[in-house]
Amino acid sequence: MENSKYFIYWIGLSALLIAGSAAAFSVYGLAKLFSGAFLSVVIMAGSLELGKLVTASFLYRYWNMINWFQKVYMTIATIVLVFITSAGIFGYLSNAYQGATLEFEKQSTELLTIEERIEQLDEDKVFLKEELEVAISELPDNYITAKRKLREEYNPQITQLNQELLEFKTRRADLEIQLVSTGVDVGPAIYLARTFGTDIDTVVKFFIFILIFVFDPLAVMLVIAYNQALIDRNKQVRDDTSIIEKDASTPVEENNPNPYGDDDYATPIFDEEEVIEEPNEPLEENNPTPVEVKPPTAKGGIRIR
């Protein structure tokens, strides 16, 4: 993928998505933290998020051109803004966790209260029965009417306790059913807490810290990587353009029958001994034009050719 012309766009898209989501979570988390000025905090945090990414890009592009004060201050500012963004993300995720577990914790607390009330009613019921037995045992055996009156006095109280116990046990059963359905949202956290032998809050905090450790720092590094890829691509385009312009401006010699160089087209070289001189007089067989032969003439008794 690194040699693909679309790889730079994948870097830019990844940087945009991660940086955008980190900024959104951070802005929302900070706004919930300072809920008294929600809109003002959203504007301030959003501006700082954009400035952080622009500052990181500026430092990478102009590091060798700026003075030491700009380098130190802008580097520290970027690191501090990364921590602020991470704190905002922590607030957002903590708020989401509390929203998911609020009903679960409410039902769990109510269930504990009901169980404590059931235990108290059981103790009261046992105490009334023991008190009734003691009161009956103190009466003589022939005091049957008195014993009956004692039972009639205690039975309504015991019956009322039994009725209350039945109502609380019914509510406990309903809450246990609701906890099963509500616990689906926090089921993984409960399972991890049981696995590591700790409470749910500790497990959730641990995973939130892991997320914020790689979230915003990765966004900043991807923005820097995108700038690096852009610079490298622009440099390559300039080099290719200069090569093309250099080839186009190179003059071609008119007398050179081979404009592509002497390697592709070589002129044959003959030795002096192998050079065959052509005769000065044209041969008849080589001359397609017939030569007119004049008849000899005689002058002074001498034939002249």
Side-chain angles (χ1 to χ4, degrees):
M1 182 180 280
E2 61 191 27
N3 295 325
S4 174
K5 61 180 180 180
Y6 299 108
F7 182 66
I8 186 174
Y9 300 109
W10 286 111
I11 298 176
L13 180 62
S14 300
L16 177 63
L17 292 177
I18 297 177
S21 58
F25 296 159
S26 175
V27 169
Y28 183 81
L30 292 175
K32 294 294 288 184
L33 182 62
F34 303 99
S35 58
F38 186 86
L39 182 60
S40 301
V41 174
V42 167
I43 297 173
M44 179 192 67
S47 302
L48 289 175
E49 289 295 327
L50 179 61
K52 176 189 65 180
L53 300 178
V54 174
T55 303
S57 301
F58 176 82
L59 286 174
Y60 178 77
R61 288 174 175 265
Y62 300 99
W63 182 263
N64 296 325
M65 302 171 62
I66 59 178
N67 55 40
W68 67 269
F69 178 77
Q70 287 178 303
K71 292 179 181 178
V72 173
Y73 176 76
M74 297 181 78
T75 302
I76 294 175
T78 303
I79 295 174
V80 171
L81 287 174
V82 168
F83 280 105
I84 293 176
T85 303
S86 300
I89 296 173
F90 183 85
Y92 173 80
L93 294 177
S94 299
N95 183 65
Y97 164 69
Q98 291 176 358
T101 59
L102 180 63
E103 188 66 22
F104 180 81
E105 292 179 353
K106 179 181 177 181
Q107 293 174 355
S108 299
T109 304
E110 186 177 358
L111 180 61
L112 291 174
T113 304
I114 291 175
E115 289 179 347
E116 290 178 357
R117 181 58 179 167
I118 289 173
E119 291 179 359
Q120 184 179 0
L121 290 174
D122 284 331
E123 292 177 357
D124 292 342
K125 180 180 176 181
V126 171
F127 176 77
L128 284 175
K129 287 183 176 181
E130 291 178 352
E131 187 178 4
L132 176 61
E133 294 295 331
V134 170
I136 291 175
S137 64
E138 291 179 353
L139 295 173
D141 295 338
N142 55 354
Y143 281 31
I144 298 174
T145 305
K147 293 180 180 180
R148 184 181 299 116
K149 288 182 179 180
L150 284 174
R151 288 191 177 93
E152 290 176 355
E153 291 178 0
Y154 279 91
N155 281 338
Q157 299 180 22
I158 296 174
T159 303
Q160 184 180 359
L161 290 176
N162 289 331
Q163 186 65 30
E164 291 181 3
L165 281 171
L166 181 62
E167 292 177 358
F168 280 109
K169 288 180 180 179
T170 303
R171 290 178 59 185
R172 182 177 65 180
D174 295 336
L175 277 175
E176 288 176 350
I177 295 174
Q178 293 177 6
L179 281 172
V180 171
S181 59
T182 308
V184 173
D185 297 332
V186 292
I190 296 174
Y191 176 77
L192 289 173
R194 292 176 180 175
T195 302
F196 292 103
T198 182
D199 59 319
I200 302 176
D201 293 340
T202 303
V203 172
V204 173
K205 289 178 183 178
F206 176 74
F207 278 98
I208 290 176
F209 277 117
I210 292 177
L211 286 174
I212 65 176
F213 180 75
V214 298
F215 206 153
D216 195 57
L218 178 61
V220 174
M221 294 306 296
L222 281 175
V223 170
I224 295 175
Y226 182 65
N227 281 273
Q228 183 179 4
L230 280 177
I231 293 174
D232 291 342
R233 188 185 67 172
N234 294 334
K235 181 179 179 182
Q236 185 177 3
V237 170
R238 287 195 301 267
D239 293 342
D240 295 340
T241 303
S242 62
I243 292 174
I244 294 174
E245 292 177 353
K246 182 178 179 180
D247 293 340
S249 62
T250 301
V252 180
E253 296 182 2
E254 298 180 355
N255 297 328
N256 186 7
N258 179 20
Y260 301 102
D262 296 335
D263 294 336
D264 298 330
Y265 181 85
T267 304
I269 301 175
F270 298 97
D271 296 336
E272 294 181 358
E273 296 179 356
E274 294 179 359
V275 176
I276 302 175
E277 297 180 358
E278 297 181 355
N280 294 329
E281 295 181 0
L283 298 178
E284 183 177 354
E285 56 184 359
N286 296 329
N287 189 8
T289 305
V291 179
E292 182 180 358
V293 180
K294 295 181 179 181
T297 59
K299 187 177 181 181
I302 301 174
R303 182 178 293 179
I304 301 173
R305 294 194 172 198

